[in-house]
Amino acid sequence: MSFDRQIATAELAPRAFSLGHRFDHPLYDCFYIALAEVESATLVTDDAQVLALARRASLKGRVRPLAHFEPRRR
């Protein structure tokens, strides 16, 4: 995997702040979820708090536990 571009936090901030405020969750986690949404990507994490936020926010399809991660085969 390569990282070929950057996304300004200003672009992610409205969604991150919305999630943080609505679910009383730390913003740094919310920025990761907002980025996954903008990029139509899946956030893979072993962080129980992020997984709980995804459940509460009905974003389970956007966030997956590391234990269930299967890398793509080439």
Side-chain angles (χ1 to χ4, degrees):
M1 172 184 281
S2 67
F3 299 94
D4 55 1
R5 70 187 193 100
Q6 297 177 355
I7 296 180
T9 55
E11 182 179 337
L12 305 172
R15 178 61 172 153
F17 283 111
S18 174
L19 286 168
H21 178 72
R22 182 173 175 203
F23 296 102
D24 192 28
H25 196 90
L27 283 179
Y28 53 85
D29 288 340
C30 297
F31 273 96
Y32 288 114
I33 291 176
L35 177 61
E37 288 179 322
V38 164
E39 291 295 302
S40 298
T42 301
L43 174 62
V44 178
T45 183
D46 199 30
D47 187 320
Q49 289 183 343
V50 173
L51 293 167
L53 171 62
R55 280 191 301 275
R56 292 191 331 261
S58 298
L59 297 169
K60 287 171 48 176
R62 186 65 58 209
V63 181
R64 293 184 46 197
L66 179 60
H68 298 146
F69 176 69
E70 293 183 25
R72 292 185 201 161
R73 301 200 183 230
R74 292 183 182 206

XYZ file of all heavy atoms in Angstrom:
593
model
N 0.849 -1.171 0.000
C 0.000 0.000 0.000
C 0.894 1.232 0.000
O 1.901 1.284 0.680
C -0.880 0.000 1.251
C -1.647 1.278 1.420
S -2.611 1.370 2.943
C -4.002 0.395 2.470
N 0.495 2.215 -0.768
C 1.233 3.474 -0.775
C 0.291 4.601 -0.369
O -0.919 4.518 -0.543
C 1.811 3.750 -2.157
O 0.758 3.993 -3.065
N 0.861 5.614 0.177
C 0.116 6.798 0.570
C 0.531 7.913 -0.369
O 1.633 8.418 -0.288
C 0.415 7.160 2.028
C 0.019 6.062 2.972
C 0.929 5.113 3.391
C -1.289 5.972 3.419
C 0.554 4.101 4.256
C -1.675 4.963 4.281
C -0.760 4.018 4.700
N -0.384 8.249 -1.263
C -0.006 9.172 -2.317
C -0.636 10.551 -2.214
O -0.473 11.368 -3.089
C -0.305 8.569 -3.681
C -1.758 8.141 -3.834
O -2.546 8.326 -2.898
O -2.090 7.611 -4.902
N -1.392 10.800 -1.157
C -1.955 12.139 -0.994
C -2.264 12.398 0.469
O -2.306 11.488 1.277
C -3.177 12.339 -1.862
C -4.391 11.563 -1.454
C -5.486 11.728 -2.518
N -6.744 11.249 -2.023
C -7.709 12.010 -1.544
N -7.553 13.323 -1.505
N -8.829 11.505 -1.111
N -2.474 13.655 0.747
C -2.817 14.075 2.097
C -4.185 14.733 2.075
O -4.576 15.326 1.068
C -1.790 15.074 2.627
C -0.407 14.505 2.744
C 0.576 15.560 3.210
O 0.262 16.729 3.359
N 1.802 15.141 3.435
N -4.895 14.617 3.176
C -6.187 15.280 3.320
C -6.093 16.189 4.533
O -5.693 15.758 5.615
C -7.328 14.262 3.486
C -7.459 13.428 2.220
C -8.640 14.961 3.802
C -8.528 12.394 2.249
N -6.450 17.431 4.350
C -6.380 18.410 5.437
C -7.411 18.071 6.514
O -8.543 17.673 6.205
C -6.641 19.810 4.896
N -7.019 18.239 7.746
C -7.959 17.972 8.836
C -9.164 18.906 8.769
O -10.245 18.539 9.226
C -7.274 18.096 10.211
O -6.661 19.377 10.317
C -6.257 16.996 10.419
N -8.996 20.076 8.165
C -10.126 21.008 8.029
C -11.268 20.374 7.236
O -12.439 20.630 7.503
C -9.662 22.297 7.368
N -10.922 19.543 6.272
C -11.941 18.857 5.470
C -12.694 17.818 6.304
O -13.866 17.560 6.075
C -11.273 18.174 4.274
C -12.232 17.483 3.339
C -11.532 16.829 2.158
O -10.414 17.238 1.804
O -12.126 15.904 1.589
N -12.009 17.230 7.257
C -12.593 16.172 8.083
C -13.260 16.697 9.353
O -14.067 15.999 9.964
C -11.501 15.174 8.485
C -10.699 14.559 7.351
C -9.539 13.756 7.907
C -11.582 13.709 6.464
N -12.902 17.902 9.738
C -13.322 18.450 11.027
C -14.831 18.478 11.255
O -15.282 18.064 12.330
C -12.723 19.837 11.246
N -15.649 18.930 10.302
C -17.092 18.967 10.592
C -17.661 17.604 10.985
O -18.407 17.490 11.960
C -17.706 19.483 9.289
C -16.612 20.271 8.646
C -15.356 19.529 8.997
N -17.291 16.575 10.241
C -17.804 15.230 10.565
C -17.203 14.726 11.867
O -17.905 14.132 12.701
C -17.498 14.268 9.422
C -17.948 12.856 9.677
C -19.442 12.757 9.864
N -19.828 11.348 9.918
C -20.886 10.903 10.552
N -21.706 11.735 11.169
N -21.166 9.621 10.555
N -15.920 14.937 12.079
C -15.271 14.490 13.315
C -15.895 15.167 14.529
O -16.204 14.508 15.527
C -13.765 14.765 13.252
N -16.103 16.472 14.446
C -16.716 17.195 15.567
C -18.145 16.721 15.808
O -18.580 16.599 16.946
C -16.688 18.707 15.335
C -15.345 19.319 15.583
C -14.603 19.826 14.537
C -14.820 19.389 16.862
C -13.354 20.391 14.767
C -13.579 19.950 17.101
C -12.835 20.446 16.050
N -18.867 16.453 14.735
C -20.230 15.960 14.874
C -20.259 14.622 15.614
O -21.051 14.422 16.544
C -20.874 15.815 13.487
O -22.137 15.215 13.591
N -19.410 13.698 15.190
C -19.335 12.399 15.867
C -18.906 12.550 17.317
O -19.483 11.934 18.221
C -18.348 11.475 15.136
C -18.797 10.885 13.813
C -17.628 10.246 13.090
C -19.913 9.872 14.043
N -17.869 13.352 17.547
C -17.355 13.546 18.906
C -18.397 14.125 19.830
O -18.560 13.671 20.974
N -19.113 15.123 19.345
C -20.128 15.774 20.174
C -21.321 14.847 20.410
O -21.775 14.676 21.544
C -20.589 17.068 19.508
C -21.658 17.774 20.259
N -21.425 18.425 21.443
C -22.985 17.910 20.009
C -22.561 18.939 21.888
N -23.525 18.636 21.035
N -21.805 14.253 19.346
C -23.000 13.402 19.453
C -22.781 12.192 20.350
O -23.667 11.793 21.107
C -23.425 12.946 18.062
C -24.671 12.108 18.061
C -25.144 11.835 16.664
N -26.281 10.938 16.700
C -26.652 10.171 15.709
N -25.994 10.211 14.572
N -27.680 9.380 15.819
N -21.595 11.598 20.284
C -21.334 10.361 21.016
C -20.362 10.544 22.180
O -19.926 9.559 22.767
C -20.835 9.287 20.051
C -21.876 8.920 19.031
C -21.801 9.413 17.737
C -22.950 8.115 19.374
C -22.775 9.106 16.804
C -23.923 7.794 18.449
C -23.843 8.288 17.159
N -20.036 11.813 22.508
C -19.132 12.110 23.614
C -17.864 11.251 23.533
O -17.520 10.512 24.439
C -19.843 11.891 24.953
C -19.055 12.447 26.126
O -18.292 13.410 25.925
O -19.201 11.912 27.246
N -17.212 11.369 22.376
C -16.042 10.539 22.101
C -14.856 11.440 21.750
O -15.038 12.491 21.134
C -16.351 9.597 20.926
C -15.386 8.480 20.808
N -15.558 7.268 21.445
C -14.219 8.386 20.146
C -14.550 6.481 21.166
N -13.707 7.139 20.375
N -13.626 11.028 22.101
C -12.447 11.840 21.773
C -12.326 12.112 20.271
O -12.544 11.224 19.443
C -11.274 10.986 22.261
C -11.855 10.092 23.304
C -13.263 9.823 22.862
N -11.980 13.343 19.948
C -11.934 13.761 18.548
C -10.901 13.021 17.714
O -11.131 12.770 16.534
C -11.664 15.267 18.456
C -12.855 16.153 18.763
C -12.456 17.607 18.670
C -14.014 15.856 17.837
N -9.766 12.669 18.306
C -8.733 12.037 17.493
C -9.249 10.750 16.867
O -8.929 10.442 15.724
C -7.432 11.803 18.271
C -7.581 11.065 19.578
C -7.597 9.681 19.617
C -7.704 11.755 20.774
C -7.735 9.002 20.818
C -7.833 11.096 21.969
C -7.849 9.706 21.985
O -7.979 9.030 23.171
N -10.072 9.973 17.557
C -10.673 8.776 16.976
C -11.676 9.143 15.888
O -11.770 8.479 14.857
C -11.393 7.945 18.042
C -10.448 7.231 18.984
O -9.266 7.049 18.643
O -10.902 6.846 20.082
N -12.424 10.193 16.126
C -13.448 10.616 15.174
C -12.846 11.069 13.848
O -13.453 10.891 12.787
C -14.305 11.720 15.783
S -15.214 11.167 17.254
N -11.646 11.632 13.887
C -10.977 12.029 12.646
C -10.644 10.799 11.794
O -10.757 10.843 10.570
C -9.711 12.847 12.929
C -9.980 14.309 13.079
C -10.144 14.864 14.329
C -10.069 15.128 11.967
C -10.398 16.223 14.478
C -10.320 16.485 12.095
C -10.481 17.028 13.363
N -10.243 9.708 12.423
C -9.961 8.484 11.671
C -11.219 7.967 10.979
O -11.187 7.543 9.825
C -9.386 7.393 12.583
C -7.976 7.659 13.018
C -7.668 7.915 14.345
C -6.926 7.636 12.094
C -6.375 8.152 14.753
C -5.615 7.875 12.493
C -5.351 8.134 13.820
O -4.060 8.359 14.213
N -12.340 7.997 11.682
C -13.600 7.532 11.094
C -14.035 8.475 9.971
O -14.468 8.025 8.904
C -14.686 7.386 12.171
C -14.325 6.221 13.094
C -16.055 7.167 11.534
C -15.257 6.029 14.265
N -13.906 9.769 10.183
C -14.258 10.734 9.135
C -13.398 10.515 7.891
O -13.902 10.579 6.760
C -14.091 12.160 9.658
N -12.128 10.229 8.080
C -11.245 9.957 6.945
C -11.694 8.696 6.201
O -11.741 8.687 4.970
C -9.796 9.806 7.414
C -8.779 9.456 6.334
C -8.722 10.528 5.262
C -7.414 9.237 6.965
N -12.033 7.664 6.934
C -12.515 6.434 6.292
C -13.770 6.709 5.472
O -13.918 6.190 4.362
C -12.784 5.361 7.345
N -14.653 7.556 5.994
C -15.868 7.898 5.252
C -15.545 8.661 3.975
O -16.056 8.326 2.903
C -16.814 8.718 6.126
C -17.469 7.918 7.216
C -18.392 8.745 8.080
O -18.070 9.928 8.367
O -19.423 8.220 8.466
N -14.690 9.670 4.080
C -14.328 10.488 2.915
C -13.669 9.635 1.834
O -13.917 9.820 0.642
C -13.398 11.652 3.334
C -12.707 12.283 2.144
C -14.180 12.696 4.102
N -12.857 8.694 2.249
C -12.122 7.857 1.302
C -12.882 6.596 0.902
O -12.360 5.782 0.141
C -10.765 7.461 1.914
C -9.808 8.621 2.037
C -9.410 9.154 0.676
O -8.860 8.394 -0.151
O -9.660 10.349 0.425
N -14.094 6.425 1.424
C -14.864 5.197 1.175
C -14.012 3.968 1.486
O -13.952 3.004 0.718
C -15.368 5.140 -0.261
O -16.239 6.211 -0.505
N -13.338 4.040 2.619
C -12.425 2.983 3.043
C -12.934 2.345 4.326
O -13.848 2.849 4.969
C -11.035 3.580 3.280
N -12.320 1.239 4.670
C -12.634 0.567 5.918
C -11.497 0.816 6.896
O -10.330 0.587 6.569
C -12.807 -0.950 5.695
O -13.860 -1.148 4.758
C -13.148 -1.654 6.990
N -11.835 1.281 8.080
C -10.854 1.476 9.140
C -10.729 0.160 9.888
O -11.720 -0.374 10.384
C -11.320 2.584 10.084
C -10.478 2.817 11.335
C -9.057 3.237 10.965
C -11.128 3.861 12.215
N -9.528 -0.384 9.943
C -9.265 -1.619 10.672
C -8.553 -1.230 11.953
O -7.522 -0.552 11.920
C -8.401 -2.593 9.843
C -8.092 -3.854 10.630
C -9.097 -2.933 8.528
N -9.116 -1.665 13.093
C -8.560 -1.256 14.374
C -8.703 -2.353 15.414
O -9.568 -3.222 15.306
C -9.242 0.033 14.879
O -8.616 0.445 16.098
C -10.722 -0.186 15.128
N -7.854 -2.269 16.404
C -7.946 -3.157 17.561
C -8.373 -2.354 18.788
O -8.326 -2.846 19.909
C -6.592 -3.831 17.799
C -6.700 -5.071 18.661
O -7.752 -5.731 18.623
O -5.740 -5.383 19.380
N -8.791 -1.111 18.567
C -9.186 -0.205 19.643
C -10.663 -0.427 19.980
O -11.549 -0.121 19.177
C -8.947 1.230 19.197
C -9.166 2.247 20.303
O -10.122 2.083 21.093
O -8.398 3.217 20.360
N -10.924 -0.940 21.157
C -12.292 -1.270 21.578
C -13.187 -0.039 21.615
O -14.382 -0.123 21.303
C -12.274 -1.959 22.938
N -12.635 1.120 21.960
C -13.443 2.336 22.017
C -13.883 2.783 20.622
O -15.001 3.250 20.434
C -12.691 3.460 22.725
C -12.549 3.216 24.210
C -11.868 4.390 24.905
O -11.236 5.232 24.268
N -12.008 4.439 26.208
N -13.013 2.645 19.648
C -13.373 3.009 18.277
C -14.428 2.043 17.743
O -15.390 2.452 17.090
C -12.130 3.033 17.353
C -12.522 3.251 15.903
C -11.157 4.102 17.808
N -14.273 0.773 18.035
C -15.262 -0.214 17.607
C -16.618 0.058 18.258
O -17.658 -0.051 17.606
C -14.777 -1.628 17.918
C -13.550 -2.072 17.113
C -12.951 -3.340 17.707
C -13.912 -2.269 15.653
N -16.607 0.446 19.531
C -17.858 0.772 20.224
C -18.506 2.014 19.612
O -19.724 2.056 19.427
C -17.596 0.983 21.717
N -17.704 3.015 19.272
C -18.230 4.211 18.614
C -18.874 3.842 17.282
O -19.962 4.312 16.963
C -17.121 5.241 18.400
C -17.480 6.446 17.530
C -18.614 7.251 18.151
C -16.246 7.314 17.303
N -18.219 2.994 16.516
C -18.764 2.580 15.221
C -20.123 1.899 15.396
O -21.044 2.137 14.618
C -17.788 1.655 14.507
N -20.246 1.075 16.426
C -21.537 0.427 16.685
C -22.601 1.457 17.043
O -23.702 1.441 16.504
C -21.407 -0.598 17.816
C -20.826 -1.925 17.382
C -20.968 -2.982 18.463
N -20.319 -2.602 19.712
C -19.034 -2.785 19.986
N -18.244 -3.359 19.098
N -18.529 -2.413 21.144
N -22.258 2.359 17.962
C -23.229 3.368 18.407
C -23.639 4.296 17.269
O -24.774 4.754 17.216
C -22.663 4.173 19.577
C -22.513 3.359 20.839
C -22.204 4.186 22.092
N -21.495 5.421 21.924
C -20.184 5.599 22.113
N -19.416 4.597 22.482
N -19.635 6.787 21.963
N -22.711 4.583 16.368
C -22.972 5.511 15.275
C -23.482 4.791 14.018
O -23.594 5.417 12.970
C -21.705 6.291 14.944
N -23.774 3.511 14.138
C -24.244 2.704 12.999
C -23.259 2.755 11.827
O -23.659 2.886 10.668
C -25.634 3.154 12.553
O -26.555 2.978 13.595
N -21.977 2.654 12.145
C -20.917 2.687 11.132
C -20.123 1.391 11.104
O -18.954 1.372 10.729
C -19.969 3.858 11.405
C -20.580 5.245 11.324
C -19.627 6.290 11.869
C -20.977 5.560 9.899
N -20.754 0.314 11.520
C -20.036 -0.955 11.590
C -19.461 -1.385 10.252
O -18.436 -2.044 10.195
C -20.936 -2.047 12.163
C -21.170 -1.888 13.642
C -22.215 -2.818 14.208
C -22.054 -4.240 13.807
N -23.022 -5.138 14.439
N -20.099 -0.996 9.164
C -19.571 -1.339 7.848
C -18.323 -0.565 7.479
O -17.585 -0.955 6.589
N -18.067 0.532 8.177
C -16.924 1.385 7.890
C -15.735 1.050 8.794
O -14.598 1.396 8.484
C -17.342 2.846 8.088
C -16.362 3.869 7.706
C -16.021 3.939 6.254
N -17.167 4.166 5.403
C -17.253 3.731 4.146
N -16.267 3.078 3.593
N -18.319 3.960 3.422
N -15.984 0.371 9.909
C -14.929 0.053 10.876
C -14.981 -1.438 11.177
O -16.044 -1.975 11.476
C -15.117 0.859 12.185
C -14.011 0.541 13.176
C -15.165 2.359 11.897
N -13.824 -2.093 11.086
C -13.764 -3.536 11.344
C -12.701 -3.852 12.373
O -11.656 -3.213 12.415
C -13.425 -4.272 10.054
C -14.543 -4.180 9.028
C -14.261 -4.965 7.791
N -13.773 -6.300 8.080
C -13.162 -7.059 7.209
N -12.949 -6.622 5.996
N -12.754 -8.270 7.529
N -12.956 -4.882 13.174
C -11.939 -5.303 14.148
C -10.732 -5.924 13.445
O -10.878 -6.624 12.438
C -12.647 -6.358 15.001
C -14.067 -6.370 14.587
C -14.181 -5.639 13.289
N -9.573 -5.688 13.988
C -8.341 -6.252 13.445
C -8.422 -7.775 13.382
O -7.934 -8.391 12.438
C -7.147 -5.811 14.295
C -5.775 -6.325 13.881
C -5.434 -5.860 12.468
C -4.723 -5.862 14.871
N -9.072 -8.376 14.352
C -9.180 -9.842 14.401
C -9.899 -10.408 13.178
O -9.693 -11.565 12.817
C -9.905 -10.270 15.673
N -10.723 -9.597 12.514
C -11.461 -10.060 11.336
C -10.841 -9.593 10.027
O -11.417 -9.797 8.959
C -12.912 -9.570 11.396
C -13.648 -10.104 12.562
N -14.608 -9.378 13.222
C -13.561 -11.291 13.226
C -15.076 -10.095 14.226
N -14.463 -11.251 14.252
N -9.685 -8.962 10.108
C -9.045 -8.428 8.913
C -8.371 -9.532 8.113
O -7.635 -10.348 8.647
C -8.001 -7.377 9.300
C -7.221 -6.845 8.126
C -7.836 -6.055 7.178
C -5.886 -7.142 7.982
C -7.126 -5.557 6.095
C -5.164 -6.646 6.911
C -5.785 -5.856 5.966
N -8.647 -9.552 6.827
C -7.974 -10.476 5.919
C -7.398 -9.653 4.767
O -8.162 -9.034 4.009
C -8.953 -11.514 5.369
C -9.456 -12.461 6.443
C -10.361 -13.528 5.866
O -10.233 -13.845 4.652
O -11.178 -14.051 6.620
N -6.089 -9.602 4.649
C -5.505 -8.790 3.579
C -5.880 -9.339 2.204
O -6.119 -10.541 2.042
C -3.996 -8.899 3.823
C -3.799 -9.977 4.790
C -5.115 -10.281 5.448
N -5.921 -8.434 1.250
C -6.177 -8.845 -0.134
C -5.000 -9.643 -0.645
O -3.855 -9.324 -0.376
C -6.376 -7.633 -1.027
C -7.618 -6.891 -0.750
C -7.749 -5.802 -1.786
N -8.640 -4.787 -1.276
C -8.702 -3.573 -1.727
N -7.899 -3.177 -2.691
N -9.545 -2.712 -1.221
N -5.296 -10.637 -1.421
C -4.218 -11.431 -2.034
C -3.974 -10.912 -3.438
O -4.888 -10.585 -4.161
C -4.609 -12.893 -2.064
C -4.862 -13.382 -0.661
C -4.765 -14.837 -0.583
N -5.114 -15.181 0.802
C -4.383 -15.957 1.535
N -3.296 -16.493 1.047
N -4.738 -16.235 2.765
N -2.734 -10.870 -3.804
C -2.369 -10.377 -5.147
C -2.301 -11.507 -6.125
O -2.033 -12.575 -5.915
C -1.040 -9.659 -5.096
C -1.150 -8.388 -4.327
C 0.175 -7.691 -4.362
N 0.065 -6.486 -3.581
C 0.791 -5.448 -3.771
N 1.694 -5.430 -4.715
N 0.650 -4.382 -3.045
